[in-house]
Amino acid sequence: MLERGSLVRQLDRLVEGMVALRHDGTFHEPNLDGSPGDYISFAGWEWPQGVGLYGLVRYWEFTGADHHRALVEAWYERQLARKPPSPNVNTTAPMLALSILWARTRDERWRQPLEGWADLVLNGLPRTDEQGFQHIVSDSINPGELWDDTLFMVALFLANYGRAAGRPELVEESIRQFLLHAHYLTDTETGLWFHGWTFEGRHNFARARWARGNAWITAGLLDFIELGGIEGGVKDFLLGCLCSQVSALLRYQHESGGWHTLVDDPTSYLETSATAGFGYGLLKGARLGILGDDARVAGLKALSFVLSNIDERGTVQNVSYGTRMGRDLQFYRDIPIQPTAYGQALAILLLAEAVRHTDEIQVEAAQ
């Protein structure tokens, strides 16, 4: 049986482990402008830190703890006091947590940065055919390419900020991006999602059913509907995509509770960040009555796997490093393992959702 106190203690350790992450120089990845890339430490401004902040601010929403809010606010105060990087898909990720913070507090310190960044995304990000956001990032231009990562890094921010700020054009743009990406990235044979699509050649690269890419969808789709207040036919369509994906995920879950880094390839290694994202989406979907009890059981198995991969310092292990677009499946099997902020964040989301299920279990036991 899940034990609430144990999960909360582990959550606090995950936060400590995330803040303590440091770039030790193992990965030298300069950006296009010559600046060094930092995709590990909590001090940088990139997509791993953005996902980390999202996990932290959602945990703050759950706890209401002043020290969690202070930790988030201090990060933004430091970063915005100096010039942030130029907007691209991945550098937009930190704006999601800031938009949630502003929506809850209406602190005027955050309004101008959010407004300015939203305008730059809407009017400045390069577009593919059919007006998709080209997956341009700090170290690569990727012309004509759609990646599933983009939805989590950009569309969630536009949806949440657009709704909170009364800017429906931002929500509509986020909907367009979800529908377009679903059209080109969904594998109709399995219900899983491919990592990417290129309009230059019109193909899905290695046709990789990459686990963390799929986890961005499982974890992000329900949050997108919630944050953007998505209703009607769009909501129904996206939930249909989720149910198809989950049906495949349940077939491919390893007996340990984890998923392989290529979901349908048992020769690839088991990977913790994707498993955490899947577990979060499965448990949340089950709690909301969108998914069935089989999803809840699979989510709890995923929780067990993730808990077994958190070390005594609160660091999530067996997380695959940031993954570019692969031209063959071996590329994904060879991605190195490295603790990261997004690994911490996805585990935080999963454990915070699991705490809600301890409340349900206690109610069931009392009946």
Side-chain angles (χ1 to χ4, degrees):
M1 179 177 290
L2 297 179
E3 201 277 302
R4 181 187 180 97
S6 175
L7 288 174
V8 170
R9 288 190 294 273
Q10 193 68 283
L11 275 161
D12 289 336
R13 291 174 65 203
L14 285 169
V15 173
E16 293 171 1
M18 180 168 65
V19 174
L21 288 174
R22 296 291 182 271
H23 191 292
D24 62 5
T26 299
F27 300 96
H28 176 61
E29 296 182 294
N31 295 321
L32 292 173
D33 63 4
S35 61
D38 181 356
Y39 300 94
I40 297 174
S41 77
F42 191 59
W45 181 301
E46 260 292 348
W47 70 272
Q49 295 84 2
V51 177
L53 289 158
Y54 178 63
L56 185 53
V57 82
R58 296 309 301 250
Y59 186 37
W60 163 67
E61 285 185 303
F62 179 68
T63 65
D66 290 341
H67 65 281
H68 290 149
R69 174 178 171 177
L71 182 59
V72 174
E73 290 183 330
W75 190 93
Y76 285 107
E77 287 171 352
R78 289 193 304 271
Q79 295 291 340
L80 294 173
R82 52 182 184 254
K83 185 179 179 181
S86 300
N88 61 48
V89 166
N90 283 349
T91 59
T92 298
M95 302 309 289
L96 171 58
L98 187 62
S99 72
I100 294 173
L101 181 65
W102 176 78
R104 301 296 182 269
T105 66
R106 299 291 165 164
D107 189 325
E108 281 302 309
R109 287 178 296 171
W110 316 128
R111 181 64 184 268
Q112 183 177 354
L114 287 164
E115 193 74 7
W117 203 289
D119 289 339
L120 288 169
V121 167
L122 195 63
N123 302 312
L125 280 190
R127 302 279 184 143
T128 68
D129 292 355
E130 302 182 37
Q131 294 299 300
F133 285 140
Q134 176 180 310
H135 194 81
I136 182 172
V137 295
S138 300
D139 61 0
S140 184
I141 296 174
N142 304 320
E145 296 183 17
L146 301 176
W147 296 24
D148 43 21
D149 317 43
T150 301
L151 296 177
F152 203 96
M153 307 308 160
V154 179
L156 291 187
F157 159 59
L158 291 179
N160 185 70
Y161 182 64
R163 184 186 187 195
R167 294 189 58 182
E169 75 276 14
L170 299 180
V171 180
E172 289 300 314
E173 184 61 53
S174 70
I175 291 172
R176 185 224 301 262
Q177 296 303 321
F178 255 90
L179 296 180
L180 183 65
H181 282 70
H183 175 69
Y184 283 106
L185 298 181
T186 300
D187 172 23
T188 56
E189 293 181 6
T190 65
L192 297 171
W193 288 49
F194 295 124
H195 187 183
W197 164 267
T198 175
F199 285 99
E200 298 185 1
R202 301 186 69 87
H203 57 76
N204 292 108
F205 297 96
R207 295 177 63 82
R209 300 168 185 94
W210 174 50
R212 191 164 59 246
N214 272 273
W216 295 133
I217 305 306
T218 317
L221 200 150
L222 287 173
D223 286 6
F224 172 66
I225 291 171
E226 171 195 345
L227 295 172
I230 310 301
E231 296 291 347
V234 172
K235 177 181 178 180
D236 293 342
F237 171 79
L238 292 175
L239 290 179
C241 291
L242 177 66
C243 290
S244 293
Q245 186 204 39
V246 165
S247 178
L249 290 175
L250 297 183
R251 293 197 305 271
Y252 287 114
Q253 188 175 27
H254 187 262
E255 60 185 11
S256 65
W259 276 269
H260 296 274
T261 200
L262 289 170
V263 174
D264 57 342
D265 179 6
T267 71
S268 63
Y269 57 79
L270 294 170
E271 203 277 328
T272 309
S273 70
T275 297
F278 291 146
Y280 169 66
L282 292 170
L283 288 180
K284 183 171 183 175
R287 175 171 58 83
L288 295 176
I290 295 166
L291 302 175
D293 194 58
D294 54 350
R296 184 169 185 251
V297 170
L300 293 174
K301 288 177 63 178
L303 173 67
S304 178
F305 178 88
V306 171
L307 288 171
S308 71
N309 279 279
I310 302 173
D311 69 17
E312 66 280 357
R313 298 181 303 277
T315 305
V316 181
Q317 300 296 325
N318 294 310
V319 172
S320 64
Y321 189 59
T323 304
R324 294 178 173 82
M325 187 59 58
R327 265 58 180 181
D328 58 63
L329 296 181
Q330 190 59 42
F331 171 84
Y332 296 89
R333 300 183 189 106
D334 294 339
I335 294 295
I337 298 296
Q338 170 66 45
T340 63
Y342 56 82
Q344 302 292 129
L346 288 166
I348 288 170
L349 290 173
L350 171 59
L351 267 66
E353 178 61 35
V355 171
R356 297 175 184 266
H357 289 257
T358 66
D359 295 337
E360 289 184 1
I361 288 171
Q362 289 168 2
V363 169
E364 291 171 2
Q367 292 175 344

